[in-house]
Amino acid sequence: MEKTLKWNAFPCEEPSWRLNISAPISVMQAFWQQCLESLKRLTQNTPKIYTTWFEVLKPTYWNEKDGILTLEAPATKITYIRGAYQKSISAVATRIHGSAVAVSLVPAQVKPVQREESGTSHPPSETEIKRREETGLLPGLTFENYVNGNANQLAVAAAEHVATTTGTQYNPLYIYGGVGLGKTHLMQAIGHRYLDLHPKARVRCVSAQDFINEYTSAVRESTNKTHASLEKFDERYRSLDLLLIDDVQSLSGAKGSQGQFFRAFEALVPHNKQLVITSDTYTRGLKDIEPRLISRLSQGLSVAIEPPEFEMRTAILLNKAKTMGVDLPDEVAAYIAKRLKSNVRELEGALQQVVAYQQFQATSSREITIDIAKRVLREQFQVVNSLITIENIQKTVADYYKIKVADMHSKRRPANIARPRQIAMYLTKELTQHSLPEIGENFGGRDHTTVMHAVRKITQERQNDAELNHEIHVLEQMIRG
């Protein structure tokens, strides 16, 4: 049975707060230190919770009279702390203060990584960069450069937790989602953070296809008299502190590589060595993978990354433009984000096209405008819109669930047909501008109330069924091309 992370242990509303004349820093620090000491005592049996989620908080405002406390939290941890611990922090602060304290959390500004050996901020050395590249980690794929939103907040919080408490919980961590949603970036961010905390650790980040290629080469180089290459390969993976495997679905059908991966799993996970895996589907959706391996992958924590919502897509574009040194107006980012919805790569590719176009313009006209975005991305927008037709949706859904397109129009109602038909109606309502009567007419002349029932039913069920939710996201990506 897969474990799914729960985030409503301490449900609470985020309190509002206003700026008044703040208390002196010494008073604020003294009060927060008391709160920390109390939180530390409460978590004495689980010290990792204190160091991971409480110790990182910094007080920025304390109004003793009105009982208002503002804490600064790392941007990658703030969502989880709000959901899981904000109410507890407020309760502790209230008890110490003697009257009600409203606690609010604000994201910290991104700062350079603190290096253990010097205690000061400085860019990584060439030696360090080279070492990280040798492990398979790519520069820039860090938590600091990862945009958070509702679509990935659970996965980000789990990744942050694993990076700081490797092997002790959520092992393996299984991250799944569609193409181009940031799974690889998040996995690599775990590796970078882990090496920040443990500079001498043995880390390896590799795609499943490269794992297969390495194993195949080792087998080829081995002979009947010596198995040195295989033994070397085996030792390389069994001796790691952290193993990151990308696109594990690529192991499908590769029985020898699956067996080797299973041996690596057994050498690492039972000994509290962390394993992180990414895939394009949930564990039970993996095809032609040994049952014993699927069972092992399912024993840890599985978290999904969904396609980004509008606000997150806009933030991704603005963040990418900033790293490129490009001034992208908010309204242009919003215009692009509203029209391109499938994945992060599509967004970044669109931005690259706009920027490249502008670089060839006269200096006086290099400002990026909505008109420029329309002109450069016109064909891409047209392709996206032209692909999304009722016929395309019906065929995609029918193929996915292995039924006939004719079943979309028939009056038959067995579950294996009725369910895909309802999903197709739901997707048509979500992805096209057709009215309910028009949709009903294209599904065998059904009444608009039938379509409305299907839309409501699937909307409700996908909120409570992670497997259905994932299937719909996959279908959305297939339909958008």
Side-chain angles (χ1 to χ4, degrees), residues 121-400:
S121 301
H122 61 80
S125 65
E126 290 186 10
T127 301
E128 184 176 355
I129 292 174
K130 183 178 179 181
R131 178 175 182 270
R132 295 203 177 199
E133 289 178 347
E134 288 173 349
T135 69
L137 296 174
L138 301 175
L141 298 185
T142 64
F143 284 115
E144 288 74 20
N145 295 329
Y146 196 80
V147 177
N148 301 348
N150 292 332
N152 61 19
Q153 64 181 18
L154 305 186
V156 171
E160 276 272 354
H161 184 78
V162 163
T164 54
T165 61
T166 50
T168 58
Q169 202 174 14
Y170 311 144
N171 195 12
L173 175 64
Y174 188 92
I175 304 170
Y176 68 94
V179 175
L181 297 183
K183 303 184 299 295
T184 299
H185 187 153
L186 190 58
M187 179 190 71
Q188 292 235 350
I190 294 173
H192 282 294
R193 178 65 57 81
Y194 185 73
L195 282 177
D196 286 341
L197 300 172
H198 311 282
K200 297 182 179 180
R202 292 163 295 185
V203 175
R204 186 164 181 79
C205 179
V206 64
S207 70
Q209 187 57 57
D210 285 342
F211 183 89
I212 293 172
N213 294 341
E214 286 182 35
Y215 176 70
T216 303
S217 296
V219 172
R220 188 184 303 117
E221 292 168 7
S222 297
T223 65
N224 292 331
K225 295 182 179 180
T226 175
H227 298 286
S229 295
L230 273 174
E231 291 172 358
K232 184 178 179 180
F233 174 87
D234 187 59
E235 179 61 25
R236 180 187 306 150
Y237 285 93
R238 293 170 60 89
S239 62
L240 296 171
D241 298 304
L242 171 63
L243 174 58
L244 309 155
I245 296 279
D246 201 15
D247 291 329
V248 76
Q249 74 277 357
S250 296
L251 290 175
S252 175
K255 299 300 182 182
S257 297
Q258 288 179 34
Q260 190 64 39
F261 181 48
F262 181 83
R263 286 189 286 276
F265 185 104
E266 292 295 282
L268 298 177
V269 174
H271 298 91
N272 292 331
K273 305 298 183 181
Q274 183 69 45
L275 178 62
V276 179
I277 305 137
T278 73
S279 175
D280 64 357
T281 187
Y282 47 90
T283 54
R284 286 173 293 170
L286 291 169
K287 304 298 183 184
D288 204 10
I289 300 288
E290 291 184 16
R292 62 173 183 169
L293 189 52
I294 291 179
S295 174
R296 297 299 194 280
L297 297 179
S298 302
Q299 76 182 37
L301 175 68
S302 294
V303 288
I305 297 182
E306 311 293 3
E309 71 281 4
F310 170 70
E311 293 82 4
M312 185 176 171
R313 295 196 300 273
T314 304
I316 288 169
L317 286 168
L318 292 171
N319 186 65
K320 181 65 175 179
K322 185 177 180 181
T323 61
M324 295 170 65
V326 174
D327 183 15
L328 180 68
D330 291 355
E331 62 270 19
V332 179
Y335 175 80
I336 298 173
K338 193 172 183 179
R339 286 154 181 80
L340 300 178
K341 304 176 181 179
S342 62
N343 60 58
V344 178
R345 290 178 193 166
E346 181 182 54
L347 289 170
E348 293 183 343
L351 179 61
Q352 293 277 10
Q353 291 182 55
V354 173
V355 171
Y357 176 87
Q358 283 304 92
Q359 288 177 345
F360 290 99
Q361 304 307 304
T363 305
S364 59
S365 60
R366 283 191 174 175
E367 179 184 359
I368 297 177
T369 64
I370 289 179
D371 286 339
I372 293 294
K374 284 182 181 178
R375 187 183 312 156
V376 176
L377 303 174
R378 180 178 62 252
E379 292 185 5
Q380 188 169 349
F381 293 157
Q382 288 174 349
V383 169
V384 171
N385 292 332
S386 66
L387 288 173
I388 304 179
T389 63
I390 294 181
E391 292 76 14
N392 177 252
I393 291 172
Q394 290 175 337
K395 185 179 186 311
T396 302
V397 174
D399 289 346
Y400 187 85

